[in-house]
């Protein structure tokens, strides 16, 4: 059978991984796909670098549109990233009748609805395994492996840069800025690392997983996004003392009222496997009503791990090339006409438990005042830890740290309670609030 001809837009870290793995494992891939898969054309502004990767094996051009215009190209791989030119090129490739493989989570989380509609209208596939959690086949698992289930929740460490930063800060006591530079040097971080540290990259990925898990449209604008820049070593230490690790989690959850979609630092019990995912590794937990809780772990970034996901998509396309559109797995797992309009809930309606740290005056009655406010708000306290004032503030110290863990409560109620506690003259600094998930 004739080989599939692939055009690559962008041959940086991931693109060269795709080219090299395809070359190295071609015979194995043919045995699986039933036909060859060859990169025959590459577009990159840096044509010298592109030629140094592909040699004479593929035609190198500077203009991506020349790839889209080539009638021999069956599949276009978009590895440019971002929402700008990448969006235009993906839509043009679809319009030209090409199947598209992309690792571009930002593009799909923000413009996915438009892109999937265009692909459906044209009868082409848009595949995106590499967009979420790099080499972990989480899209395949959610879309196909767990298709029998009503998914209840998805929670994942889906940004390697922030997990690397949190791990190094905890293990080695290093400063945030030092570790961020290391993550950039290792090639984990986005071109704009604020996307990593402010939680935006994780929210892109959580948005895509929520769409597939619950059959809702991609709605990045409704996601709650909070990064790790406000986290302090003090809270990492207290959490550890209480039996928790702090991880940046992307969480989506089905509730009676709608879907929670949120990214924020989260206390996770140290005994959970996911709490022990260290460095740049990713892991995703999915809970389905039939299967129970499942866990997927692996490299979420890097050249060949991401190439592994891109090539898996190419093999899927190779197998489905001659099938009718109706026989294909829908892009978002659910048939396009069967998407749900379950609302994404505002944060005030989210139900979770909390870690609170209050810097309080070391005076009689303070604990009673604080716990009184929490009790009147109907919030149940799970544990309280009050440090000796001299341990926190030195000998003759006049303040101390009061740490509280709560049971599940509605975030709106917690916001009110925090506002009341903050107004007490005995509360001496901004209250730290970190959400907690038991993931049981
Ligand atoms: N910047 C991303 C991360 C790369 O750190 O996980 C993979 O999407």
């Amino acid at each position: 059978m004739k080989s599939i001809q692939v055009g690559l837009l962008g041959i940086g870290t991931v693109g060269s991984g795709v080219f090299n793995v395809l070359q190295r494992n071609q015979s194995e891939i043919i045995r699986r796909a039933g036909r060859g898969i060859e990169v025959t054309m590459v577009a990159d502004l840096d044509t010298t670098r592109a030629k140094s990767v592909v040699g004479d094996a593929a035609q190198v051009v500077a203009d991506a549109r020349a790839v889209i215009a080539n009638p021999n190209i069956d599949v276009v791989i978009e590895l440019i990233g971002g929402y700008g030119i990448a969006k235009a090129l993906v839509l043009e490739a679809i319009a030209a009748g090409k199947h598209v493989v992309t690792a571009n989570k930002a593009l799909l989380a923000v413009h996915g609805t438009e892109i999937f509609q265009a692909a459906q209208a044209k009868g082409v596939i848009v595949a995106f395994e590499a967009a979420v959690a790099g080499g972990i086949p989480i899209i395949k698992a959610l879309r196909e492996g767990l298709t029998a289930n009503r998914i209840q929740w998805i929670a994942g460490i889906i940004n390697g840069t922030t997990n690397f930063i949190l791990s190094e800060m905890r293990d080695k006591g290093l400063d945030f800025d030092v570790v961020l530079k290391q993550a950039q040097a290792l090639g984990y971080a986005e071109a704009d690392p604020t996307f990593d540290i402010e939680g935006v990259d994780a929210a892109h990925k959580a948005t895509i997983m929520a769409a597939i898990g619950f059959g809702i449209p991609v709605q990045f604008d409704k996601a709650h996004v909070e990064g790790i820049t406000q986290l302090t070593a003090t809270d990492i230490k207290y959490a550890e003392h209480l039996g928790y690790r702090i991880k940046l989690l992307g969480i989506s959850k089905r509730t009676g009222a709608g879907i929670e979609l949120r990214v924020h630092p989260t206390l996770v019990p140290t005994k959970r496997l996911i709490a022990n995912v260290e460095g740049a590794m990713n892991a995703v937990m999915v809970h389905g009503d039939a299967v129970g809780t499942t866990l997927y772990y692996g490299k979420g970034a890097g050249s060949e791990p991401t190439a592994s996901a891109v090539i898996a998509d190419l093999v899927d396309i190779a197998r489905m090339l001659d099938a009718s559109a109706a026989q294909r797995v829908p892009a978002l797992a659910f048939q396009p006409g069967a998407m749900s309009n379950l609302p994404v809930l505002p944060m005030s309606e989210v139900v979770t438990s909390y870690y609170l740290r209050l810097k309080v005056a070391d005076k009689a009655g303070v604990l009673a005042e604080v716990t009184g406010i929490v009790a009147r708000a109907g919030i149940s306290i799970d544990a309280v830890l009050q440090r000796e004032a001299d341990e926190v503030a030195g000998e003759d110290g006049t303040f101390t740290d009061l740490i509280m863990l709560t049971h599940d409560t509605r975030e709106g109620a917690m916001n009110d309670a925090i506002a009341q506690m903050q107004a007490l003259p005995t509360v001496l600094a901004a209250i730290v609030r970190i959400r907690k998930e038991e993931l049981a």
Side-chain angles (χ1 to χ4, degrees):
M1 206 183 293
K2 187 176 159 288
S3 288
I4 288 196
Q5 296 204 21
V6 178
L8 199 52
L9 311 186
I11 189 154
T13 310
V14 178
S16 23
V18 170
F19 186 82
N20 292 332
V21 175
L22 262 181
Q23 294 251 309
R24 191 170 76 230
N25 295 344
Q26 186 65 208
S27 61
E28 196 87 349
I29 287 164
I30 292 173
R31 287 173 60 212
R32 290 191 165 117
R35 66 210 303 175
I37 300 175
E38 289 171 38
V39 174
T40 53
M41 203 168 176
V42 174
D44 199 296
L45 291 175
D46 188 343
T47 51
T48 311
R49 179 186 63 179
K51 279 185 188 138
S52 75
V53 178
V54 303
D56 296 329
Q59 183 191 352
V60 172
V61 293
D63 178 10
R65 292 193 163 94
V67 176
I68 295 170
N70 183 341
N72 297 320
I73 295 291
D74 303 297
V75 185
V76 169
I77 305 180
E78 182 274 307
L79 297 173
I80 296 167
Y83 321 101
I85 183 71
K87 180 185 176 202
L89 292 172
V90 164
L91 288 172
E92 285 172 35
I94 291 169
K98 313 290 186 198
H99 301 288
V100 173
V101 175
T102 177
N104 193 336
K105 55 257 165 154
L107 177 64
L108 294 180
V110 176
H111 299 292
T113 301
E114 181 184 351
I115 288 167
F116 295 130
Q117 275 171 1
Q120 196 202 346
K122 197 73 191 172
V124 296
I125 299 169
V126 172
F128 51 94
E129 183 64 70
V132 181
I136 305 174
I138 189 63
I139 301 298
K140 189 82 155 177
L142 280 169
R143 201 159 57 178
E144 298 178 51
L146 299 175
T147 198
N149 289 264
R150 187 173 158 86
I151 305 284
Q152 307 289 4
W153 54 262
I154 304 168
I157 296 172
I158 42 181
N159 181 268
T161 301
T162 44
N163 203 50
F164 178 75
I165 292 174
L166 292 176
S167 301
E168 295 285 291
M169 281 174 75
R170 188 178 55 81
D171 274 0
K172 303 190 181 148
L174 292 173
D175 284 337
F176 180 87
D177 295 338
V178 174
V179 193
L180 173 60
K181 287 210 178 76
Q182 285 178 12
Q184 286 175 289
L186 288 165
Y188 306 142
E190 295 301 295
D192 176 357
T194 57
F195 268 35
D196 296 294
I197 60 180
E198 298 295 358
V200 176
D201 177 71
H204 287 147
K205 296 165 182 167
T207 299
I208 295 170
M209 288 197 289
I212 296 175
F214 306 113
I216 57 171
V218 280
Q219 298 165 78
F220 174 69
D221 56 335
K222 306 261 175 65
H224 172 82
V225 189
E226 215 176 296
I228 62 166
T229 51
Q230 304 300 316
L231 264 187
T232 64
T234 306
D235 294 305
I236 294 175
K237 228 182 309 145
Y238 282 146
E240 200 78 9
H241 184 78
L242 290 159
Y244 292 86
R245 293 254 160 93
I246 301 181
K247 295 289 182 189
L248 184 72
L249 290 191
I251 299 169
S252 56
K253 221 181 249 189
R254 186 198 293 274
T255 77
I259 302 292
E260 296 180 2
L261 177 55
R262 48 194 168 100
V263 170
H264 49 70
T266 313
L267 269 77
V268 179
T270 308
K271 62 186 176 204
R272 298 270 177 269
L273 285 173
I274 199 167
N276 296 282
V277 169
E278 300 287 18
M281 300 305 280
N282 281 199
V284 183
M285 294 175 81
V286 183
H287 185 88
D289 65 340
V291 72
T293 304
T294 56
L295 173 67
Y296 310 84
Y297 168 84
K299 289 188 176 153
S303 177
E304 294 206 355
T306 312
S308 165
V310 168
I311 295 169
D313 280 344
L314 290 175
V315 171
D316 271 353
I317 291 172
R319 289 175 175 144
M320 296 310 288
L321 208 56
D322 302 320
S324 76
Q327 290 168 292
R328 296 177 187 151
V329 181
L332 291 178
F334 291 74
Q335 298 297 334
M339 299 299 279
S340 156
N341 58 5
L342 269 176
V344 175
L345 298 170
M347 272 313 272
S348 57
E349 293 305 315
V350 159
V351 174
T352 187
S353 55
Y354 295 85
Y355 160 103
L356 303 177
R357 175 166 61 86
L358 293 81
K359 181 179 174 186
V360 293
D362 188 23
K363 278 191 190 159
V366 173
L367 182 61
E369 268 183 326
V370 166
T371 52
I373 290 174
V374 173
R376 281 191 296 281
I379 298 167
S380 165
I381 295 172
D382 183 24
V384 176
L385 172 71
Q386 183 169 349
R387 303 294 314 281
E388 298 281 341
D390 57 354
E391 279 177 34
V392 178
E395 220 175 308
D396 304 326
T398 56
F399 62 87
T400 189
D401 278 340
L402 178 63
I403 293 110
M404 218 185 292
L405 298 183
T406 76
H407 288 295
D408 276 353
T409 188
R410 205 176 47 81
E411 178 128 343
M414 180 50 81
N415 290 343
D416 291 346
I418 289 177
Q420 287 179 50
M421 289 188 280
Q422 195 69 73
L424 293 173
T426 46
V427 173
L428 307 174
I431 296 172
V432 174
R433 168 247 304 269
I434 307 175
R435 299 173 189 88
K436 175 165 90 59
E437 292 286 336
E438 293 299 320
L439 302 177

